[in-house]
């Protein structure tokens, strides 16, 4: 099957701000500095895709029915554009980054999550994982992002799709997502196993566990 160009899609525009705009200072969490650049932080190789025909996103674990979403399936879902601040545990923060994607809550409408599920383990190309609570994901600013500043993500920033959880340190914003595993209870992902915090709230400086 040939897929239509997904990026031609007309987007519903919506601005979400998760931090008060009264001054830049109070938008910067403790121990962070601001950058205008967009650093790349990747453990391991960067995946490259010639086509999205073979790409899919799998939902498994504590769900009523396992599902596999194609790129076209996802592009049929409602989208949102939001401008948010991002904070990396390596101490850089970047203000006013604009992303377009599928709001987590829209995506979730397609999934029959079993009542015992409390967390997800996000699975990425090449084995990167990260864990997040369903209560954390359940927010206006969580999305499956595929455009950055109106353009497709570059390969190094997660093309074709990444999770965006701006209120946590950026390692939770998994690039090159391929699956969500719903779990009863929490289980550490890649960096969490190496000592990063299970929650990763930048405002509480939850850097290490
Ligand atoms: N799949 C995958 N996702 C990932 C990473 C990674 O190595 N692999 N690095 C994480 C870390 S530590 C950070 S800080 C951000 C960096 O995103 P960026 O490279 O777009 O700035 O991606 C996160 N998501
Ligand atoms: Mo990071």
């Amino acid at each position: 099957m040939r897929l239509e160009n997904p990026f031609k899609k007309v987007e519903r525009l919506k601005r979400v701000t998760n931090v008060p705009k009264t001054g830049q200072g109070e938008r910067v969490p403790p121990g962070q500095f601001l950058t205008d650049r967009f650093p790349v932080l990747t453990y391991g190789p960067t995946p490259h895709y010639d086509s999205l025909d073979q790409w899919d996103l799998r939902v498994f674990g504590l769900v009523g029915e396992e599902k596999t979403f194609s790129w076209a399936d996802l592009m049929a879902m409602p989208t949102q554009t939001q401008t948010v601040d991002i904070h990396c545990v390596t101490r850089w923060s970047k203000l006013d980054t604009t992303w377009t994607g599928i709001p987590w809550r829209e995506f979730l409408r397609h999934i029959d999550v079993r009542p015992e599920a409390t967390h997800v383990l996000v699975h990425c190309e090449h084995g990167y994982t990260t864990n997040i609570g369903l209560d954390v994901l359940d927010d206006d600013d969580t999305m499956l992002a595929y455009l950055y500043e109106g353009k497709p993500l570059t390969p190094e920033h997660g093309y074709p799709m990444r999770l965006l959880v701006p209120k946590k340190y950026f390692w939770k914003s998994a690039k090159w997502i391929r699956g969500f595993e719903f779990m009863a209870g929490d289980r550490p992902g890649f960096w969490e196993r190496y000592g990063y915090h299970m929650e990763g709230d930048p405002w509480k400086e939850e850097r290490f566990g």
Side-chain angles (χ1 to χ4, degrees), residues 41-42 87-92 128 169-172 191 196:
L41 275 112
T42 301
H87 313 289
C88 175
V89 71
T90 61
R91 298 189 182 274
W92 58 267
Y128 183 91
Y169 282 123
F170 212 35
W171 87 76
K172 300 278 187 187
W191 283 119
Y196 280 20

Side-chain angles (χ1 to χ4, degrees), residues 5 63 82 116 150 202:
N5 181 347
V63 289
Q82 61 168 340
E116 317 89 89

Side-chain angles (χ1 to χ4, degrees), residues 7 9-13 79-81 100 146-147 150:
F7 303 117
K9 214 174 161 224
V10 183
E11 285 131 33
R12 193 154 55 86
L13 271 155
T79 67
Q80 172 183 300
T81 297
T100 301
Y146 59 92
L147 300 182

Side-chain angles (χ1 to χ4, degrees), residues 40-110:
V40 172
L41 275 112
T42 301
Y43 183 86
T46 296
H48 289 267
Y49 302 87
D50 294 330
S51 127
L52 295 178
D53 292 359
Q54 303 302 312
W55 183 94
D56 58 23
L57 185 64
R58 200 176 139 228
V59 167
F60 59 105
L62 292 174
V63 289
E65 185 200 347
E66 268 194 28
K67 276 190 184 173
T68 301
F69 297 92
S70 70
W71 184 255
D73 292 336
L74 291 161
M75 290 305 111
M77 295 182 192
T79 67
Q80 172 183 300
T81 297
Q82 61 168 340
T83 300
V84 293
D85 303 337
I86 54 178
H87 313 289
C88 175
V89 71
T90 61
R91 298 189 182 274
W92 58 267
S93 289
K94 188 170 168 61
L95 303 183
D96 295 323
T97 62
T98 300
W99 304 83
T100 301
I102 301 146
W104 171 258
R105 287 167 172 166
E106 290 290 346
F107 178 62
L108 211 56
R109 290 153 70 99
H110 301 263

Side-chain angles (χ1 to χ4, degrees), residues 42 46-47 49 124-125 155-156 158-159 161 174-178:
T42 301
T46 296
Y49 302 87
C124 304
E125 207 73 69
E156 57 277 10
Y159 177 89
M161 192 173 269
K175 302 189 275 192
W176 314 296
I177 50 173
R178 292 299 305 273

Side-chain angles (χ1 to χ4, degrees), residues 1 21 27 31 61 113 122 136 171 194 201 205:
M1 184 187 65
K21 291 233 183 206
R27 292 168 65 184
V113 180
V122 189
V136 173
W171 87 76
Y194 282 99
D201 182 340
E205 276 211 85

